[in-house]
Amino acid sequence: MTKADNMLSILWLLRSGKRVTAKQLAEELEIHVRTVYRCIDSLCASGVPIVADSGPNGGYSILSHFADSPLVFDAEEQKGLIHASIFAKEAGYPYTDALARAMDKLKHYANEKQLDHLERHSSGVSVIYPPIDGAYQAYLRMLEEAAGKGRTLEMLYERGKGEKSPPRLFDPYGIVYWKGSWYTVGYCGYRQETRSFRVDRIRDLMETDGSFERPSAFSAKDHLLGSLLHDPAGSAEFENVTIKAKEQVLDELCRHWLFGHALVERKQGEAIFRLERSTLHTYVPYFLMPYSTGLQIDSELLIQRMKDASARMLTHYEAMYMDLKSRKGENDE
């Protein structure tokens, strides 16, 4: 028999619940005892909770509850699952309770050595995300279940700055976690088109009797990115912006979702980005402002917009400072 056959045979003999010596296994399978030792080692490395007891009544046995375990994971796979569960939980994954139960089962089907390995690695990874409240997770669960079942929801959404829009029917095609926030993508009955919505701006969700069929080969992730990143071949106006800075700063810019997708050329101490002109008028100046004087920008439009933004900030904080100073003078009197 092959090694795999031997391992499987040993596994089935151990699953009987009886303690068996290496000699007994070798005689039962008509193989050398050293082959038994090698197979036992391989089974343990694969995650099988085999217990070895020494002494006159010693031998090999397997944890009794392992009979209910449908899968066997090796040490690296177990570590990967533990770490993935940490990321998912901290990101607000809607099925954290089920995930916790799965991790408990993984630990339950482990022997003492394997359990120690899991505990040490689970405490070696930490993830920091903004806290997710219960309503947020409840909406994520409803959206994911509706997407899987093809069930239409009624959604009350806040467009921003406290502005609520009328209730709308919404066919959720999927949920997407991107840049620290959850989004849902689907067909909006109010706008009569496929749109994306931030889940933290949803104010109410209700189930309806309506149903839908998700378009074949539809990707919620691709649609979300497509709605945020305009097609350079379209009607929007673009401008090449050259930014000179330290390599660390350029690395950070290239990792940003907008700048990374717009990168045209990267040189030593310099990067060229093809950016939509409308973004140069809006949030790009404010995103670059924390870098202060660490940037050299080759774009008259962007430089002018950063000057305007800086002037507004200066006026705002000068007025704030004078007001505080005035109030402090009145209190001193």
Short mmCIF file of all heavy atoms in Angstrom, two decimals, residues 155-193:
data_model
loop_
_atom_site.label_atom_id
_atom_site.label_comp_id
_atom_site.label_asym_id
_atom_site.label_seq_id
_atom_site.Cartn_x
_atom_site.Cartn_y
_atom_site.Cartn_z
N MET A 155 -35.18 50.24 1.53
CA MET A 155 -34.08 50.90 2.23
C MET A 155 -34.35 52.39 2.41
O MET A 155 -34.82 53.07 1.49
CB MET A 155 -32.78 50.70 1.44
CG MET A 155 -31.56 51.37 2.05
SD MET A 155 -30.01 50.91 1.22
CE MET A 155 -30.26 51.66 -0.40
N LEU A 156 -34.05 52.86 3.61
CA LEU A 156 -34.04 54.29 3.90
C LEU A 156 -32.59 54.71 4.03
O LEU A 156 -31.87 54.20 4.90
CB LEU A 156 -34.81 54.59 5.18
CG LEU A 156 -34.99 56.08 5.53
CD1 LEU A 156 -35.80 56.79 4.45
CD2 LEU A 156 -35.68 56.23 6.89
N TYR A 157 -32.17 55.64 3.18
CA TYR A 157 -30.75 55.97 3.08
C TYR A 157 -30.52 57.45 3.33
O TYR A 157 -31.31 58.31 2.92
CB TYR A 157 -30.23 55.60 1.69
CG TYR A 157 -28.73 55.69 1.51
CD1 TYR A 157 -27.88 54.76 2.09
CD2 TYR A 157 -28.17 56.72 0.76
CE1 TYR A 157 -26.52 54.84 1.92
CE2 TYR A 157 -26.80 56.80 0.58
CZ TYR A 157 -25.98 55.87 1.17
OH TYR A 157 -24.61 55.96 0.99
N GLU A 158 -29.40 57.75 4.01
CA GLU A 158 -29.01 59.13 4.27
C GLU A 158 -27.89 59.51 3.32
O GLU A 158 -26.82 58.89 3.32
CB GLU A 158 -28.53 59.27 5.72
CG GLU A 158 -28.23 60.70 6.13
CD GLU A 158 -27.86 60.78 7.60
OE1 GLU A 158 -28.77 60.70 8.45
OE2 GLU A 158 -26.66 60.89 7.88
N ARG A 159 -28.14 60.50 2.48
CA ARG A 159 -27.18 60.85 1.43
C ARG A 159 -25.95 61.58 1.96
O ARG A 159 -24.96 61.72 1.26
CB ARG A 159 -27.88 61.70 0.36
CG ARG A 159 -28.83 60.90 -0.50
CD ARG A 159 -29.51 61.74 -1.53
NE ARG A 159 -30.52 62.61 -0.96
CZ ARG A 159 -31.42 63.30 -1.68
NH1 ARG A 159 -31.39 63.23 -2.99
NH2 ARG A 159 -32.32 64.05 -1.09
N GLY A 160 -25.96 62.02 3.16
CA GLY A 160 -24.84 62.78 3.72
C GLY A 160 -25.32 64.12 4.23
O GLY A 160 -26.32 64.68 3.75
N LYS A 161 -24.62 64.64 5.24
CA LYS A 161 -24.98 65.91 5.86
C LYS A 161 -26.40 65.88 6.41
O LYS A 161 -27.10 66.89 6.44
CB LYS A 161 -24.82 67.08 4.88
CG LYS A 161 -23.40 67.27 4.37
CD LYS A 161 -23.30 68.46 3.43
CE LYS A 161 -21.87 68.64 2.94
NZ LYS A 161 -21.74 69.79 2.00
N GLY A 162 -26.84 64.68 6.83
CA GLY A 162 -28.16 64.55 7.43
C GLY A 162 -29.32 64.55 6.47
O GLY A 162 -30.48 64.57 6.89
N GLU A 163 -29.05 64.51 5.15
CA GLU A 163 -30.12 64.56 4.16
C GLU A 163 -30.63 63.14 3.88
O GLU A 163 -29.90 62.29 3.38
CB GLU A 163 -29.61 65.18 2.86
CG GLU A 163 -29.13 66.61 3.00
CD GLU A 163 -28.60 67.15 1.69
OE1 GLU A 163 -28.74 66.47 0.67
OE2 GLU A 163 -28.06 68.26 1.70
N LYS A 164 -31.90 62.90 4.21
CA LYS A 164 -32.49 61.60 3.96
C LYS A 164 -33.24 61.62 2.63
O LYS A 164 -33.89 62.59 2.29
CB LYS A 164 -33.45 61.21 5.09
CG LYS A 164 -32.75 60.98 6.44
CD LYS A 164 -33.75 60.56 7.49
CE LYS A 164 -33.05 60.30 8.82
NZ LYS A 164 -34.01 59.90 9.88
N SER A 165 -33.14 60.52 1.91
CA SER A 165 -33.86 60.39 0.64
C SER A 165 -35.10 59.55 0.87
O SER A 165 -35.22 58.85 1.89
CB SER A 165 -32.95 59.74 -0.40
OG SER A 165 -32.51 58.48 0.03
N PRO A 166 -36.05 59.57 -0.06
CA PRO A 166 -37.27 58.77 0.11
C PRO A 166 -36.94 57.29 0.18
O PRO A 166 -35.91 56.84 -0.35
CB PRO A 166 -38.07 59.10 -1.16
CG PRO A 166 -37.50 60.39 -1.66
CD PRO A 166 -36.06 60.37 -1.29
N PRO A 167 -37.79 56.50 0.82
CA PRO A 167 -37.57 55.04 0.84
C PRO A 167 -37.50 54.49 -0.57
O PRO A 167 -38.21 54.96 -1.46
CB PRO A 167 -38.80 54.50 1.59
CG PRO A 167 -39.30 55.66 2.38
CD PRO A 167 -39.00 56.89 1.57
N ARG A 168 -36.62 53.53 -0.77
CA ARG A 168 -36.43 52.96 -2.10
C ARG A 168 -36.39 51.45 -2.02
O ARG A 168 -35.95 50.88 -1.03
CB ARG A 168 -35.13 53.48 -2.72
CG ARG A 168 -33.87 52.96 -2.05
CD ARG A 168 -32.64 53.68 -2.57
NE ARG A 168 -32.56 55.03 -2.03
CZ ARG A 168 -31.85 56.01 -2.59
NH1 ARG A 168 -31.17 55.78 -3.69
NH2 ARG A 168 -31.82 57.21 -2.06
N LEU A 169 -36.85 50.81 -3.11
CA LEU A 169 -36.67 49.37 -3.23
C LEU A 169 -35.27 49.11 -3.73
O LEU A 169 -34.76 49.83 -4.60
CB LEU A 169 -37.70 48.79 -4.20
CG LEU A 169 -39.16 48.86 -3.76
CD1 LEU A 169 -40.07 48.28 -4.83
CD2 LEU A 169 -39.38 48.13 -2.43
N PHE A 170 -34.64 48.10 -3.16
CA PHE A 170 -33.23 47.85 -3.47
C PHE A 170 -32.99 46.36 -3.60
O PHE A 170 -33.37 45.57 -2.73
CB PHE A 170 -32.35 48.43 -2.35
CG PHE A 170 -30.88 48.22 -2.55
CD1 PHE A 170 -30.23 48.77 -3.65
CD2 PHE A 170 -30.14 47.47 -1.64
CE1 PHE A 170 -28.87 48.58 -3.84
CE2 PHE A 170 -28.78 47.28 -1.82
CZ PHE A 170 -28.15 47.84 -2.93
N ASP A 171 -32.39 45.96 -4.73
CA ASP A 171 -32.00 44.57 -4.96
C ASP A 171 -30.51 44.43 -4.70
O ASP A 171 -29.69 44.80 -5.55
CB ASP A 171 -32.30 44.15 -6.41
CG ASP A 171 -33.77 44.23 -6.75
OD1 ASP A 171 -34.59 44.19 -5.82
OD2 ASP A 171 -34.10 44.34 -7.95
N PRO A 172 -30.11 43.96 -3.52
CA PRO A 172 -28.66 43.86 -3.21
C PRO A 172 -27.99 42.73 -3.97
O PRO A 172 -28.39 41.57 -3.84
CB PRO A 172 -28.64 43.62 -1.70
CG PRO A 172 -29.95 42.97 -1.41
CD PRO A 172 -30.94 43.49 -2.40
N TYR A 173 -26.96 43.08 -4.75
CA TYR A 173 -26.19 42.07 -5.48
C TYR A 173 -25.01 41.56 -4.67
O TYR A 173 -24.43 40.53 -4.98
CB TYR A 173 -25.69 42.65 -6.80
CG TYR A 173 -26.78 43.01 -7.78
CD1 TYR A 173 -26.55 43.94 -8.80
CD2 TYR A 173 -28.04 42.44 -7.70
CE1 TYR A 173 -27.54 44.27 -9.71
CE2 TYR A 173 -29.04 42.77 -8.60
CZ TYR A 173 -28.79 43.69 -9.60
OH TYR A 173 -29.78 44.02 -10.49
N GLY A 174 -24.60 42.31 -3.64
CA GLY A 174 -23.48 41.88 -2.81
C GLY A 174 -23.03 42.99 -1.89
O GLY A 174 -23.47 44.13 -1.99
N ILE A 175 -22.15 42.64 -0.95
CA ILE A 175 -21.54 43.62 -0.05
C ILE A 175 -20.03 43.59 -0.27
O ILE A 175 -19.45 42.55 -0.58
CB ILE A 175 -21.88 43.37 1.43
CG1 ILE A 175 -21.50 41.95 1.85
CG2 ILE A 175 -23.37 43.61 1.68
CD1 ILE A 175 -21.74 41.66 3.33
N VAL A 176 -19.40 44.76 -0.11
CA VAL A 176 -17.97 44.91 -0.39
C VAL A 176 -17.32 45.66 0.77
O VAL A 176 -17.84 46.71 1.19
CB VAL A 176 -17.72 45.68 -1.71
CG1 VAL A 176 -16.22 45.77 -1.99
CG2 VAL A 176 -18.45 45.03 -2.87
N TYR A 177 -16.21 45.14 1.27
CA TYR A 177 -15.44 45.86 2.30
C TYR A 177 -14.28 46.55 1.61
O TYR A 177 -13.46 45.90 0.96
CB TYR A 177 -14.92 44.89 3.36
CG TYR A 177 -14.19 45.58 4.49
CD1 TYR A 177 -14.91 46.22 5.49
CD2 TYR A 177 -12.81 45.59 4.55
CE1 TYR A 177 -14.27 46.86 6.52
CE2 TYR A 177 -12.15 46.23 5.58
CZ TYR A 177 -12.89 46.86 6.57
OH TYR A 177 -12.24 47.51 7.58
N TRP A 178 -14.23 47.88 1.74
CA TRP A 178 -13.21 48.64 1.02
C TRP A 178 -12.78 49.85 1.83
O TRP A 178 -13.61 50.64 2.28
CB TRP A 178 -13.77 49.08 -0.34
CG TRP A 178 -12.78 49.77 -1.22
CD1 TRP A 178 -11.77 49.21 -1.94
CD2 TRP A 178 -12.71 51.18 -1.47
NE1 TRP A 178 -11.08 50.18 -2.62
CE2 TRP A 178 -11.63 51.39 -2.36
CE3 TRP A 178 -13.46 52.28 -1.04
CZ2 TRP A 178 -11.28 52.65 -2.81
CZ3 TRP A 178 -13.11 53.53 -1.48
CH2 TRP A 178 -12.03 53.71 -2.36
N LYS A 179 -11.46 49.97 2.05
CA LYS A 179 -10.86 51.13 2.73
C LYS A 179 -11.53 51.42 4.08
O LYS A 179 -11.83 52.56 4.42
CB LYS A 179 -10.94 52.36 1.84
CG LYS A 179 -10.23 52.23 0.51
CD LYS A 179 -8.74 52.05 0.68
CE LYS A 179 -8.05 53.31 1.11
NZ LYS A 179 -6.58 53.16 1.17
N GLY A 180 -11.78 50.36 4.86
CA GLY A 180 -12.30 50.55 6.20
C GLY A 180 -13.80 50.73 6.29
O GLY A 180 -14.32 50.97 7.38
N SER A 181 -14.53 50.62 5.18
CA SER A 181 -15.98 50.80 5.19
C SER A 181 -16.65 49.68 4.40
O SER A 181 -16.05 49.12 3.48
CB SER A 181 -16.37 52.16 4.59
OG SER A 181 -15.85 53.23 5.34
N TRP A 182 -17.89 49.38 4.77
CA TRP A 182 -18.69 48.40 4.04
C TRP A 182 -19.62 49.11 3.06
O TRP A 182 -20.22 50.14 3.38
CB TRP A 182 -19.53 47.57 5.00
CG TRP A 182 -18.76 46.52 5.74
CD1 TRP A 182 -18.23 46.61 7.00
CD2 TRP A 182 -18.46 45.19 5.28
NE1 TRP A 182 -17.60 45.44 7.34
CE2 TRP A 182 -17.74 44.54 6.31
CE3 TRP A 182 -18.73 44.49 4.11
CZ2 TRP A 182 -17.28 43.24 6.20
CZ3 TRP A 182 -18.28 43.18 3.99
CH2 TRP A 182 -17.56 42.57 5.02
N TYR A 183 -19.73 48.55 1.87
CA TYR A 183 -20.62 49.07 0.83
C TYR A 183 -21.53 47.94 0.37
O TYR A 183 -21.18 46.76 0.45
CB TYR A 183 -19.83 49.58 -0.37
CG TYR A 183 -18.96 50.79 -0.09
CD1 TYR A 183 -17.73 50.65 0.55
CD2 TYR A 183 -19.36 52.07 -0.45
CE1 TYR A 183 -16.93 51.75 0.81
CE2 TYR A 183 -18.57 53.18 -0.20
CZ TYR A 183 -17.35 53.01 0.43
OH TYR A 183 -16.56 54.10 0.68
N THR A 184 -22.71 48.31 -0.11
CA THR A 184 -23.57 47.35 -0.78
C THR A 184 -23.84 47.85 -2.18
O THR A 184 -23.99 49.06 -2.42
CB THR A 184 -24.89 47.15 -0.01
OG1 THR A 184 -25.69 46.18 -0.70
CG2 THR A 184 -25.68 48.45 0.12
N VAL A 185 -23.86 46.93 -3.12
CA VAL A 185 -24.06 47.25 -4.53
C VAL A 185 -25.27 46.49 -5.04
O VAL A 185 -25.43 45.30 -4.75
CB VAL A 185 -22.81 46.86 -5.36
CG1 VAL A 185 -23.03 47.19 -6.84
CG2 VAL A 185 -21.57 47.57 -4.84
N GLY A 186 -26.14 47.19 -5.78
CA GLY A 186 -27.32 46.53 -6.32
C GLY A 186 -28.17 47.48 -7.13
O GLY A 186 -27.79 48.64 -7.37
N TYR A 187 -29.34 46.99 -7.52
CA TYR A 187 -30.23 47.80 -8.35
C TYR A 187 -31.11 48.67 -7.46
O TYR A 187 -31.82 48.19 -6.57
CB TYR A 187 -31.11 46.90 -9.22
CG TYR A 187 -32.01 47.68 -10.15
CD1 TYR A 187 -31.51 48.23 -11.33
CD2 TYR A 187 -33.35 47.87 -9.83
CE1 TYR A 187 -32.33 48.96 -12.17
CE2 TYR A 187 -34.18 48.59 -10.67
CZ TYR A 187 -33.67 49.13 -11.85
OH TYR A 187 -34.49 49.87 -12.68
N CYS A 188 -31.07 49.98 -7.72
CA CYS A 188 -31.83 50.96 -6.95
C CYS A 188 -33.13 51.28 -7.70
O CYS A 188 -33.09 51.81 -8.82
CB CYS A 188 -31.01 52.22 -6.73
SG CYS A 188 -31.92 53.58 -5.97
N GLY A 189 -34.27 50.96 -7.09
CA GLY A 189 -35.54 51.25 -7.73
C GLY A 189 -35.83 52.73 -7.81
O GLY A 189 -36.58 53.18 -8.69
N TYR A 190 -35.25 53.53 -6.92
CA TYR A 190 -35.49 54.98 -6.92
C TYR A 190 -34.76 55.65 -8.10
O TYR A 190 -35.31 56.50 -8.77
CB TYR A 190 -35.01 55.55 -5.59
CG TYR A 190 -35.17 57.05 -5.45
CD1 TYR A 190 -36.42 57.63 -5.45
CD2 TYR A 190 -34.05 57.87 -5.28
CE1 TYR A 190 -36.57 59.00 -5.31
CE2 TYR A 190 -34.18 59.23 -5.13
CZ TYR A 190 -35.45 59.80 -5.15
OH TYR A 190 -35.58 61.15 -5.02
N ARG A 191 -33.53 55.24 -8.34
CA ARG A 191 -32.75 55.81 -9.44
C ARG A 191 -32.86 55.00 -10.73
O ARG A 191 -32.37 55.44 -11.77
CB ARG A 191 -31.27 55.89 -9.03
CG ARG A 191 -30.98 56.84 -7.88
CD ARG A 191 -31.22 58.27 -8.27
NE ARG A 191 -30.84 59.18 -7.20
CZ ARG A 191 -30.99 60.50 -7.26
NH1 ARG A 191 -31.50 61.04 -8.35
NH2 ARG A 191 -30.62 61.26 -6.25
N GLN A 192 -33.45 53.81 -10.64
CA GLN A 192 -33.61 52.95 -11.81
C GLN A 192 -32.27 52.58 -12.45
O GLN A 192 -32.13 52.56 -13.67
CB GLN A 192 -34.52 53.63 -12.85
CG GLN A 192 -35.92 53.93 -12.36
CD GLN A 192 -36.75 52.67 -12.16
OE1 GLN A 192 -36.91 51.87 -13.07
NE2 GLN A 192 -37.27 52.50 -10.95
N GLU A 193 -31.29 52.29 -11.60
CA GLU A 193 -29.98 51.89 -12.10
C GLU A 193 -29.21 51.18 -10.98
O GLU A 193 -29.58 51.25 -9.81
CB GLU A 193 -29.19 53.09 -12.60
CG GLU A 193 -28.89 54.13 -11.53
CD GLU A 193 -28.14 55.33 -12.07
OE1 GLU A 193 -27.83 55.33 -13.27
OE2 GLU A 193 -27.86 56.26 -11.29
#
